[in-house]
Amino acid sequence: MTGQSAEKPVLRVLGGEAVWPPPVWLMRQAGRYLPEYRKLRETAGNFIALCTTPALATEVTLQPVRRFGMDAAILFSDILILPWALGQKLRFAEGEGPRLERIDGLPALEALDPAALRRGTEPVMETVARVRAGLAPETTLIGFAGSPFTVACYMIDGRGGDFPLTRATAYADPALLAAVIETVTTATIDYLSWQIEAGADCVMLFDSWAGLLPPDLFRAHVIHPTARIVEQLRTRHPGIRIIGFPRLGGLMTLSYIAETGVDGVGMDTSVDPVALARLAPRRVALQGNLDPLLLRAGGISLGHAVERIARGLEGHPHIFNLGHGIVPDTPPEHVAAVIERLRSLEPGELEESALAAT
Ligand code: CP3
């Protein structure tokens, strides 16, 4: 890591520093709520083409940063590009979400080709390099992947939902689930490592469906693979910062923080940030957790929630974000209002209110 990148506010927070006001970016900050995205999306053809055409993916990544001045850009891609690059058939049906040809047994898993990953994800690395070149030095570029369990959910069920096939496989054919997770874990270590080499300043693991698992399976399929990815990335790239997002992890979030060694943890909408800040070790940065539906609704309660979350974590390493991704019909002005509100917060009101209370 260069001295310059150590100055980026998001990286300072991931290093355990409390920065005021907290730096901000938003999950799914690029996407359909932005007219400039919709316009470009029409010319791109399908969604996979958009993710794998560096000129277009670069432009889409930069759009929200240009418009709103977030402290971080997140690579524009998708967690399902990894299984797609391994050879699993994938399409994004209009209005229906992703559809994959199911991994229904070991033969289907063995038909995937780990050696194809490098070539298949080359355009993603090209995008990372182009985005890095187009960003101001103080803006952090976040690379990402899905966590092995969440990617396995889509690979085994073949579509979004509550993943009944994957959850049944955990009991009926544990060796298959373990083998899928092993394949994804190994591929993810390389995939994130290449993103870092191409210019990502830090990386995030999206485990959107971690909360579906009971504690023993959570430990086996969420914590263990994540710990391995973290350890391997740190060996290959000393000092690299890693954010984990075990969505709806509940109390298991504490074990996740303690046992994976992530530098930052994403808080979903259900988490009380102040309670988690009390329970988690201080070195861990907390990221989140405004309700995306409140962001869409706007109004006075939006401003109040922004202030409550930021103030609640004042003095703690905090990156302001949502509890999940921006929803498509969010007015862009609400995003601008959130960032403005955050940046207008005065420091030190914590002490003042504490004094007022005495
Ligand atoms: O955050 C960003 O701006 C970066 C880009 C990004 C996308 N997907 C773009 C996308 C990221 C980080 C993701 C992660 C992702 N993808 C997750 C984890 C986070 C989460 O939301 O829980 C998951 C589970 C997926 C899988 C996925 N991709 C689904 C379920 C869908 C369909 C739902 C939808 O919102 O349409 C996608 C498609 C997708 N990924 C879109 C975008 C902008 C919409 C495609 C379009 O524009 O037509």
Side-chain angles (χ1 to χ4, degrees):
M1 293 282 92
T2 65
Q4 186 190 45
S5 59
E7 296 305 311
K8 297 177 204 290
V10 167
L11 292 185
R12 283 169 55 201
V13 173
L14 290 173
E17 202 182 317
V19 172
W20 187 266
V24 53
W25 69 279
L26 303 176
M27 288 188 276
R28 290 283 182 97
Q29 64 189 22
R32 280 169 297 186
Y33 78 106
L34 287 177
E36 57 268 38
Y37 173 86
R38 291 196 299 269
K39 198 162 159 231
L40 188 144
R41 176 83 170 79
E42 273 168 27
T43 66
N46 68 52
F47 181 68
I48 298 174
L50 177 58
C51 292
T52 54
T53 306
L56 299 181
T58 300
E59 172 58 20
V60 169
T61 305
L62 294 174
Q63 281 173 347
V65 181
R66 219 181 271 139
R67 189 193 257 253
F68 304 111
M70 281 93 173
D71 294 288
I74 181 156
L75 164 70
F76 189 84
S77 182
D78 196 86
I79 64 165
L80 301 178
I81 289 295
L82 184 136
W84 171 80
L86 292 174
Q88 191 171 6
K89 292 213 168 55
L90 167 69
R91 65 191 172 87
F92 285 85
E94 204 55 57
E96 286 177 45
R99 292 282 187 277
L100 297 95
E101 199 171 272
R102 294 193 49 224
I103 301 293
D104 55 3
L106 273 183
L109 181 64
E110 280 157 9
L112 300 182
D113 179 12
L117 186 67
R118 178 87 222 195
R119 196 170 17 86
T121 59
E122 208 62 69
V124 175
M125 306 313 150
E126 168 79 23
T127 302
V128 171
R130 288 189 189 206
V131 172
R132 187 57 272 170
L135 283 176
E138 66 275 15
T139 310
T140 298
L141 172 55
I142 304 173
F144 76 90
S147 288
F149 174 67
T150 286
V151 174
C153 280
Y154 287 97
M155 291 174 77
I156 293 173
D157 270 77
R159 57 191 298 168
D162 66 358
F163 306 99
L165 303 172
T166 307
R167 292 155 77 194
T169 301
Y171 298 108
D173 192 356
L176 176 62
L177 181 60
V180 173
I181 287 185
E182 172 61 34
T183 299
V184 178
T185 302
T186 310
T188 300
I189 291 165
D190 282 336
Y191 182 51
L192 288 177
S193 188
W194 299 332
Q195 290 183 32
I196 294 162
E197 283 159 19
D201 298 302
C202 64
V203 293
M204 174 154 165
L205 281 165
F206 285 88
D207 217 338
S208 307
W209 304 108
L212 291 172
L213 293 172
D216 53 341
L217 296 182
F218 188 103
R219 189 159 262 115
H221 299 311
V222 171
I223 293 180
H224 290 167
T226 302
R228 220 175 100 207
I229 294 168
V230 169
E231 193 232 332
Q232 285 294 311
L233 290 178
R234 291 243 172 82
T235 305
R236 294 192 196 181
H237 310 277
I240 191 70
R241 304 293 181 197
I242 302 156
I243 307 169
F245 182 38
R247 195 170 73 91
L248 299 174
L251 284 177
M252 288 308 287
T253 305
L254 294 171
S255 308
Y256 180 96
I257 291 170
E259 294 168 34
T260 62
V262 290
D263 302 283
V265 70
M267 299 178 290
D268 63 67
T269 311
S270 75
V271 175
D272 175 347
V274 176
L276 185 58
R278 281 203 196 104
L279 293 169
R282 203 184 169 290
R283 62 160 183 87
V284 178
L286 301 182
Q287 176 173 280
N289 75 339
L290 182 72
D291 187 348
L293 296 188
L294 181 52
L295 178 66
R296 178 175 65 184
I300 287 177
S301 0
L302 173 60
H304 287 163
V306 169
E307 184 153 357
R308 193 176 61 243
I309 293 165
R311 290 270 175 236
L313 292 175
E314 199 173 347
H316 196 95
H318 175 216
I319 299 164
F320 193 93
N321 205 314
L322 302 176
H324 201 188
I326 294 185
V327 295
D329 50 353
T330 300
E333 314 81 70
H334 294 183
V335 172
V338 163
I339 293 178
E340 202 182 299
R341 178 73 172 238
L342 262 182
R343 295 200 172 141
S344 70
L345 291 175
E346 300 289 338
E349 287 178 25
L350 258 190
E351 286 99 317
E352 279 171 34
S353 55
L355 278 177
T358 57

